Amino acid sequence: MNNPSSDKDAEVLVVGAGPTGLLTAGELARRGVRVRIVEKHAVRQPYSKALVVQARTLEAMDIIGLADEFTCRGYPAPGLNIGLGGASPVSIEMHDLRTRFPYLLVLPQQETEEILDEHLQAHGVVVERSRALVSISQGDNSVRAGIRGADGREETISVPYLVACDGAHSAVRHALGLSFDGQDYEAIVFLADVKLNTAFNRSRIANFTSPRGFVSILPFLGDFARIFAVDFAKQNRPPTDPLTLPDLQDTVDAVVPFSVALRDPRWITRFRSPSRQVASNRRNRVFLAGDAAHAHSPAGGQGMNTGLQDAFNLGWKLAMVLRGQAPDTLLDSFDAERHPVATMAQRETDLMFRSFLVRNRVIKTMRDLALRTLVPLKPVRRKLAQDLSGIGIGYSFTKQSSAARRRENRRGLRAGDRVPDLELWSTSRPIVRLYELLRRGTYAFITYASLGRLGTDREKLREVLARVSDDNNGAVTPWVVLDEGLPQEAGVCAPVLVDFKGEFSRRLGAGHGSALLIRPDGYLAFHVRRFDPNEIITSIEAWVSSNASMRGQNKPRS
């Protein structure tokens, strides 16, 4: 057990036990890192700020092994509708996404936190509640955090790394003196979880607009639904004023073109939506993730998902550096990859939120015409679905991926691209999914061979596999994929799978001689097109180094 009462030599301290913090700690613990997680609140918050788990987040949960638990507790909404006055709504559909999860999973944040907390406890880590961060300092090899308990006593925790997941009002960010650039919107937003009496179709998320403002309705799996609204006629009261059910009912009646009776509110409030981001997700040995690094409008359901994907990106990198399986420069890629993604999410949610705050009649008419004209177009619908779902996120823009892409063939999957889940065959199991291979927590090194051409290249392939197995300090797991035939026909000392559906060649652009290094988070590190041992080992060493600094010797990088 990674029990805080007996295990004081943690390697990572996570501050904040919301979804981002729980997943960060869970991913570290799953990989054998000694982690502590502290949370200032005595109990989990009863309100679910986030409601939608996007497809890319579910793919991350699939790699971890939690996707089934998520999908069992929520329900799949096939898309969302945008109502334009009295006209028929415009629909954004998720059906065509090339993923196992072509939908929006409606699941209250509280349920997400329960799943992630159970996962964390299964790896021997418990959240230390009623413990708040009060100070922080950094040295060459450690971070020192002052933590105050409910009884007023303080403890100093010294760790190699600290991850701030403590929300938009982050105590870590304040202690470091980091600015949270941006602003809060002037518009007052209404938010409530209520029961509905209506003929409303509960299978999807719906948005409605009128001259009074806009209303979004997100049905839960049970009796409740989330109401998210802006009423232009009720912007003269401060966000601290209580919101009443009759007030909200009046807004819904003024915007929604059919009867929706609200009752039994369990949460009802008003607030101003933020649009803020830190300049960098890293300060030496401290990393910021989730709302501590970026906070934006709930439009589009991106906030929690962006945070969870931050956690998924950072967890494996910290673990590999601490285990000496990767150089500490790997940690630079967290900010290089995730900061631009958060910027993009902020820009898109800002655009979406602002579009529904438009009050000028001419501009509203133009907006509605653009939505009716453009959204039904297949390329536009596909782009919107990819952006909302996170499936379209890739890291080809980074320096490391760009360098690899310049050496790669333009056909097929390239460095920085998301690797889709594929079905393979083995003699021990009828179906082996690619994402199941990634559950090992290592890089997956996959060589692709055509059985008809393997004879002349078998010795080169054996040399490649031997060198990869010898040189990677356990960070890389090699696999061979044949285009057809039986695994034993490969004649190599590595696990062999068969591309019985032809997906490796069709969807990844792999051909005989291809060697792909897939990162633990399901993105492609590189794609070499021939069995060249020297080129392959050089490419792997850009990510993995058996001579990486061991635990406690890593030098901080800002």
Side-chain angles (χ1 to χ4, degrees):
M1 291 286 286
N2 209 349
N3 192 318
S5 63
S6 60
D7 186 5
K8 299 295 185 182
D9 58 338
E11 296 169 290
V12 179
L13 174 65
V14 177
V15 180
T20 302
L22 290 169
L23 182 58
T24 301
E27 278 299 271
L28 291 167
R30 184 170 75 98
R31 290 175 164 82
V33 174
R34 297 189 304 279
V35 60
R36 293 178 68 177
I37 177 170
V38 297
E39 166 58 52
K40 66 180 180 180
H41 292 109
V43 296
R44 183 180 297 121
Q45 297 300 289
Y47 309 120
S48 293
K49 295 180 181 179
L51 287 176
V52 174
V53 184
Q54 303 284 6
R56 181 55 195 162
T57 304
L58 287 171
E59 288 186 340
M61 297 305 110
D62 192 14
I63 292 172
I64 295 170
L66 296 177
D68 288 348
E69 185 67 25
F70 272 80
T71 55
C72 283
R73 295 204 194 189
Y75 81 87
L80 58 88
N81 289 343
I82 303 174
L84 304 174
S88 298
V90 173
S91 296
I92 299 175
E93 305 290 348
M94 300 291 169
H95 293 305
D96 294 334
L97 288 173
R98 301 196 71 176
T99 173
R100 289 185 69 220
F101 312 101
Y103 48 78
L104 304 163
L105 184 74
V106 179
L107 182 71
Q109 178 177 323
Q110 190 175 28
E111 295 274 344
T112 294
E113 291 183 12
E114 286 179 5
I115 295 170
L116 296 176
D117 201 357
E118 290 166 4
H119 173 67
L120 181 61
Q121 291 183 52
H123 287 87
V125 182
V126 295
V127 176
E128 302 174 44
R129 293 195 171 274
S130 299
R131 292 173 63 72
L133 182 133
V134 293
S135 65
I136 189 169
S137 62
Q138 298 194 64
D140 289 341
N141 297 311
S142 66
V143 183
R144 292 170 61 84
I147 305 296
R148 180 180 295 148
D151 58 2
R153 295 181 181 179
E154 291 190 14
E155 173 192 5
T156 298
I157 300 175
S158 181
V159 287
Y161 297 103
L162 183 146
V163 185
C165 305
D166 51 343
H169 302 289
S170 170
V172 175
R173 194 183 64 241
H174 285 294
L176 291 173
L178 301 178
S179 62
F180 205 28
D181 300 328
Q183 61 184 0
D184 292 343
Y185 283 100
E186 287 298 319
I188 302 296
V189 179
F190 295 170
L191 196 66
D193 289 347
V194 296
K195 292 183 179 179
L196 308 178
N197 290 336
T198 180
F200 172 68
N201 184 349
R202 297 179 63 89
S203 69
R204 61 178 56 226
I205 299 166
N207 299 275
F208 306 94
T209 65
S210 85
R212 274 281 291 272
F214 75 88
V215 170
S216 293
I217 302 178
L218 294 78
F220 295 176
L221 188 59
D223 296 331
F224 283 85
R226 166 70 49 83
I227 305 294
F228 173 70
V230 170
D231 190 333
F232 298 143
K234 300 178 180 179
Q235 293 295 309
N236 59 344
R237 296 178 63 183
T240 53
D241 278 10
L243 176 65
T244 66
L245 186 63
D247 227 6
L248 181 61
Q249 181 70 67
D250 175 68
T251 297
V252 171
D253 291 344
V255 176
V256 180
F258 52 83
S259 176
V260 179
L262 312 181
R263 60 185 177 89
D264 302 337
R266 65 182 180 189
W267 184 30
I268 182 166
T269 188
R270 65 179 97 211
F271 71 100
R272 281 196 172 97
S273 183
S275 179
R276 298 180 180 275
Q277 187 178 14
V278 291
S280 172
N281 288 33
R282 182 180 185 185
R283 173 64 65 88
N284 296 329
R285 292 182 167 271
V286 177
F287 300 86
L288 295 95
D291 286 354
H294 44 77
H296 41 75
S297 160
Q302 298 301 302
M304 181 186 72
N305 288 274
T306 306
L308 289 173
Q309 290 168 39
D310 286 348
F312 192 54
N313 183 285
L314 180 60
W316 67 270
K317 294 174 180 178
L318 273 173
M320 283 195 164
V321 169
L322 284 165
R323 292 293 167 263
Q325 294 176 318
D328 68 331
T329 52
L330 177 64
L331 298 176
D332 296 339
S333 67
F334 172 66
D335 181 64
E337 291 176 350
R338 295 306 302 171
H339 193 277
V341 168
T343 300
M344 180 183 67
Q346 183 180 20
R347 184 169 58 246
E348 292 179 348
T349 54
D350 279 352
L351 179 62
M352 190 180 306
F353 189 58
R354 286 172 180 164
S355 72
F356 289 111
L357 293 179
V358 171
R359 304 180 69 171
N360 182 280
R361 182 174 297 179
V362 174
I363 297 177
K364 282 171 63 72
T365 300
M366 293 173 62
R367 177 203 67 190
D368 294 351
L369 178 62
L371 287 170
R372 291 194 191 98
T373 304
L374 296 176
V375 172
L377 298 177
K378 191 171 183 178
V380 175
R381 192 168 63 245
R382 184 188 306 117
K383 180 67 165 60
L384 289 171
Q386 288 180 338
D387 287 350
L388 283 172
S389 67
I391 294 298
I393 292 173
Y395 302 126
S396 62
F397 55 81
T398 65
K399 183 178 180 180
Q400 191 166 16
S401 291
S402 296
R405 289 170 79 90
R406 286 194 292 270
R407 299 190 298 269
E408 295 172 350
N409 191 304
R410 292 185 178 274
R411 183 178 64 85
L413 216 63
R414 302 169 67 197
D417 291 342
R418 162 188 163 267
V419 180
D421 197 13
L422 306 176
E423 291 186 341
L424 302 165
W425 178 82
S426 75
T427 53
S428 59
R429 289 176 55 192
I431 299 294
V432 178
R433 292 191 295 106
L434 182 58
Y435 281 10
E436 292 175 321
L437 304 184
L438 298 179
R439 290 179 186 171
R440 290 172 173 251
T442 66
Y443 291 91
F445 175 70
I446 301 179
T447 49
Y448 187 81
S450 171
L451 189 62
R453 299 174 58 188
L454 184 56
T456 57
D457 287 331
R458 185 173 280 110
E459 288 307 314
K460 284 186 180 179
L461 176 57
R462 286 172 175 167
E463 182 183 352
V464 167
L465 294 171
R467 290 186 62 180
V468 169
S469 298
D470 289 343
D471 293 348
N472 66 69
N473 197 18
V476 181
T477 303
W479 304 82
V480 174
V481 174
L482 293 179
D483 62 346
E484 59 182 61
L486 298 176
Q488 57 265 35
E489 295 180 271
V492 295
C493 293
V496 181
L497 302 165
V498 179
D499 184 24
F500 73 107
K501 288 187 173 183
E503 291 187 318
F504 245 78
S505 58
R506 187 174 65 254
R507 298 186 63 186
L508 305 190
H512 176 73
S514 282
L516 302 93
L517 185 69
I518 303 174
R519 299 169 14 161
D521 57 357
Y523 288 92
L524 191 64
F526 67 77
H527 185 172
V528 172
R529 297 284 174 168
R530 61 188 183 277
F531 296 145
D532 183 329
N534 291 329
E535 181 180 0
I536 289 170
I537 294 302
T538 298
S539 297
I540 288 178
E541 286 177 348
W543 289 91
V544 181
S545 173
S546 60
N547 296 316
S549 300
M550 295 303 289
R551 170 173 62 195
Q553 300 300 314
N554 304 307
K555 301 300 180 184
R557 297 174 66 91
S558 60

